Amino acid sequence: HGVGVKMRCQSVLCLVAAGGSVLRGRDRAVVQCHAELPQLVYGTAWKKDATPGLVEKAIRTGFRGIDTACQPKHYNEQGVGEGIAAAAGLVARKELWLQSKFTPIRGQDPLRVPYDPASPTTAQASQSIARSLENLKTEYLDCLLLHSPLATLEDTVAVWRGFRGDGGAG
């Protein structure tokens, strides 16, 4: 069983190759998963307490893609959710592209890790995704990214397999 997150697009770009076909070019992958990706995605790193207002403003000005991460060290993911909620009357959830990231322990602030650091890495990923869904006040993510490789190739592959839903995640 996977990490239990519903995703509209399962693609190599999102590190979840199960749901779409991929055509490989020299320097890119073309994803065929029948999802509409916005041309511009609003990045939410380093906005801190200004995050809710800036996310709402981004949506008001036309952004339909929002990038965040469950990484309190650099992102205020709960603030992203607040900004989306403030703009709820402007755009339906299905019109937004929400992507978040699982950040391994070495990329986290040791005082604000959003999951149990003593858990196996696959459980950490599951806990992080659950926290993202809660923070963003949504039932699904459109894209889930692995923010960086884990300490070992074995752990990286296990988390990736969990993202795909073919085992490896607790």
Side-chain angles (χ1 to χ4, degrees), residues 41-67 76 79-84 86-87 90:
V41 176
Y42 182 72
T44 62
W46 308 298
K47 310 285 190 284
K48 302 189 185 215
D49 292 340
T51 298
L54 291 171
V55 168
E56 180 184 4
K57 184 175 184 177
I59 293 170
R60 285 186 183 281
T61 58
F63 279 89
R64 294 298 178 260
I66 307 292
D67 171 79
N76 176 355
V80 173
E82 292 168 9
I84 292 168
L90 303 172

Side-chain angles (χ1 to χ4, degrees), residues 4-167:
V5 64
K6 297 180 203 172
M7 285 181 283
R8 182 166 47 175
C9 177
Q10 294 187 335
S11 70
V12 167
L13 296 178
C14 302
L15 295 179
V16 285
S21 59
V22 177
L23 305 173
R24 293 192 185 276
R26 286 177 15 122
D27 61 350
R28 66 178 185 253
V30 177
V31 180
Q32 297 176 331
C33 61
H34 310 290
E36 294 182 24
L37 284 73
Q39 291 184 352
L40 290 174
V41 176
Y42 182 72
T44 62
W46 308 298
K47 310 285 190 284
K48 302 189 185 215
D49 292 340
T51 298
L54 291 171
V55 168
E56 180 184 4
K57 184 175 184 177
I59 293 170
R60 285 186 183 281
T61 58
F63 279 89
R64 294 298 178 260
I66 307 292
D67 171 79
T68 190
C70 193
Q71 183 191 29
K73 180 178 183 178
H74 298 301
Y75 294 80
N76 176 355
E77 196 174 54
Q78 187 173 1
V80 173
E82 292 168 9
I84 292 168
L90 303 172
V91 61
R93 167 61 184 94
K94 66 182 179 179
E95 295 173 28
L96 289 176
W97 178 268
L98 295 182
Q99 66 184 37
S100 190
K101 304 172 200 80
F102 165 63
T103 304
I105 191 71
R106 70 174 179 249
Q108 298 285 357
D109 175 344
L111 300 177
R112 298 185 298 156
V113 179
Y115 49 78
D116 179 0
S119 293
T121 54
T122 53
Q124 291 173 6
S126 293
Q127 293 166 17
S128 176
I129 294 162
R131 177 68 57 92
S132 288
L133 293 171
E134 178 183 322
N135 287 340
L136 298 170
K137 302 175 179 120
T138 188
E139 294 181 9
Y140 67 96
L141 295 171
D142 298 293
C143 184
L144 176 61
L145 298 161
L146 182 56
H147 215 165
S148 65
L150 282 85
T152 68
L153 178 60
E154 180 180 88
D155 282 345
T156 302
V157 170
V159 168
W160 177 75
R161 285 188 173 141
F163 281 10
R164 286 184 40 184
D166 61 19

